[in-house]
Structure formats: C-alpha cells, structure tokens
Amino acid sequence: MSEQLPRKKRILSGIQPTGTFTLGNYVGAVRNWGALQTEEHECLYMIADLHALTVRQEPAKLRRNTREAAAMLLAAGIDPARSLLFVQSHVPAHTQLSWALSCCTQFGELSRMTQYKDKSAKHPDNVNAGLFTYPVLMAADILIYNADLVPVGIDQKQHLELARNIAQRFNGLYSPTFTMPEPYILKAGAKIMSLQEPDKKMSKSDTNANSFVLMTDDADTILRKFKRAVTDSDGVVRASEDKPGVTNLMTIYSVFTGKDFEAIEKEFDGQGYGAFKEAVAQSVIDGLAPIQGEYKRILEDKDYVDGVLKQGAEQASRLADRMVAKVYKKIGLLQL
Ligand code: TRP
C-alpha cells in the first residue's frame, strides 16, 4: 500500500474522584470518553486523585472514591481493551514533569486562573499552594503523553490554554518537545445544569440534594428529583435562553433519547410540564439502568478493577517515564 495510514490522535482526559459521579459528569464527560474510543483515537483516561488533594479529603473516603470512580468509568463504557485507564498518583512521572514545568510558568499566569480565584474565595481557610499550582500538574498530565485532543468542560478551557502556553514556551526555550494539545469541547449536553437553580452547573457539592442526580440514584429518587425540577410558569416545552430549566431538561431528554429539540417540542406540544418531566425522568432511569447494573457487578470484583488500574498505570508509566527522561536531559539535569 502506498498510502500511509494517518497517525492515530491521542486523547487524554481526567476526572477527579470526589464521590459518586452526577448525571452532569456522565453527560458532559464520561459518556463522550466512551464514544471517543474509535479506530482513529488512542485514549488515555485518568482518575485525578492528586488534583483532588487540593481540597481537604478524608483519606479512607478518597481511597474508596478512587476505586468507585474506576468502577463507574468501566461501567459507563471505558473499555480497557481499547483505552488506558489509570490513577494519576500511580504514574509518578506526572509530578516529576510538573516540577520542571512549574519552573517555566509565571506566578502571574497562575494568579489569573479563574478557577483558582473562585476556589480560593470559596475556601479562604485553605488556599494551599497545590490549589495554585494545580494547572501546572494538569499541563503535565496532558503534555507528558503528547496528547492531541483533550476533552474538557468549558470550565477547564483556561487551564488547557495555559498548558498550550507552557508547551510553546518550553519548545521555544529548548527544542520541539511537546505536542500542542487542542481542547475538545462538546457542544450538545456539554453542561448539565442544576435541577433547582438552572443557571448554575449541576454539582454534587450543592447543599440541595434535589439539584443533582447521582449515577447511583434509584428509579424513585430520579423520578422525584425530576418532578421537583425548577422550570417556569409559561408551561410550554420549548428551548430558549430565558427558559433555562426547561432547556436543561430538554438537553437531558435529548441525550438519552437521541431526539432533537424540534422533535421534543412537537412531542410535548400542548402538554404541561408534568408529563414532560415524567418522560425525562423515565429516559434517564432507562438510560442509567444498564450502567448501574454493571457498576454493581464491577464494584464487587475488586481484583478486576485493581488489575485494570495496575495494567493502565504500567502502560502509562512506560510512556510518561520516557518523556520525563527526555525533558530532564534537555533542561540540564545530570543523568548517570
Ligand atoms: N482538572 C480537571 C477537572 O477537575 C481534571 C483533570 C486533571 C484533567 N488533569 C486533567 C482534565 C488533564 C483533562 C486533562 O475537571
């Protein structure tokens, strides 16, 4: 064959193990991670336990959350035969690269990160240095594998831009080393909003448990939460900027049924929100049922989960160690 096969694009993404994933995590991130496992991509998916340490964690809980996150990712379609799934702290090269990159990152750049500003305002009693250097570690996560594409939510876009700036700076200071990563931001359903305050992102740290659906919620809970979802008073199922609650429900329904907004508007034409909310809830219940079944099964098989993570860490380490050796040599660290 004369034609050369195009190089596979390498994809890297990470998610923090901060407890059971929400419907928002699934729709906005995890679902897409599964869908990206095609012939054209080489996927690396990481549980960012080191990033989770930037807010105070209960050790036993963090350990449990990490294994549960792995089980949920496997249940939601991450296939270890096609992707590398690993835990960030199991690949020490990330932190090794992070130090080198932090010396190519300016204090001013990090102080401009909006997430840092938001988080330090939210936890004024724990504005730790890790919270500040968090984006450098994230840059290391990405650059260490020469990732081409990084699926992230809008809230991580600034961090990705910083990673690009660091890569460019390093490449210019030394020699071409890092691939410039591109953000991969999905439009449809990228951001699922709170069911109670639909102008806020759905978050499990919300004090109102009715504002989010957890991946492990049972059918009754899911139905109850959708029935209580905040909408508006005009009673028309139509997507519009001034109808954030209804639009959010339509987005969820669209993701789980594959129907577009036009079809959804037609389907519920002349019906109140009651029937609509029940239909949305049912689509979520049906969509999550197989994942929940798998999750339960996989979580019981601790050896399987740990085996997948071990293999993922070994393979990722092989790639990551090579990059660290290359970088350490370039920056002038003595190698024996
Ligand atoms: N910071 C990301 C978040 O909280 C998680 C993350 C860590 C990540 N490292 C990454 C995402 C590398 C993409 C690429 O959502």
Side-chain angles (χ1 to χ4, degrees), residues 23-24 27 189-202 211 226 229-231 238-240 243-255 261 264 276 280 284:
L23 190 66
V27 172
K191 204 166 166 190
I192 297 299
M193 312 307 282
S194 155
L195 299 183
Q196 291 298 314
E197 293 165 86
D199 47 353
K200 267 181 28 190
K201 190 176 159 179
M202 181 182 281
S211 70
F226 277 105
V230 168
T231 48
R238 182 171 51 80
S240 150
K243 292 167 69 69
V246 170
T247 307
N248 189 39
L249 295 179
M250 287 176 71
T251 301
I252 295 169
Y253 191 60
S254 168
V255 164
F261 279 1
I264 298 170
F276 171 55
V280 178
V284 172

Side-chain angles (χ1 to χ4, degrees), residues 231-298:
T231 48
D232 50 52
S233 54
D234 76 359
V236 182
V237 176
R238 182 171 51 80
S240 150
E241 245 174 64
D242 58 349
K243 292 167 69 69
V246 170
T247 307
N248 189 39
L249 295 179
M250 287 176 71
T251 301
I252 295 169
Y253 191 60
S254 168
V255 164
F256 282 95
T257 59
K259 295 173 186 170
D260 62 18
F261 279 1
E262 209 183 305
I264 298 170
E265 286 173 13
K266 224 176 260 162
E267 183 177 351
F268 295 100
D269 186 29
Q271 300 186 45
Y273 291 150
F276 171 55
K277 285 176 170 181
E278 268 176 46
V280 178
Q282 198 55 52
S283 76
V284 172
I285 291 165
D286 294 343
L288 294 190
I291 299 175
Q292 292 178 339
E294 274 296 276
Y295 176 67
K296 213 167 152 251
R297 188 182 67 77
I298 292 170

Side-chain angles (χ1 to χ4, degrees), residues 12-14 16 46 48 51 134 138 141-142 150 152 156:
L12 177 122
S13 198
Q16 293 191 38
M46 181 188 81
H51 277 111
Y134 172 121
M138 182 163 158
D141 297 336
I142 298 164
V150 183
V152 281
Q156 296 295 321

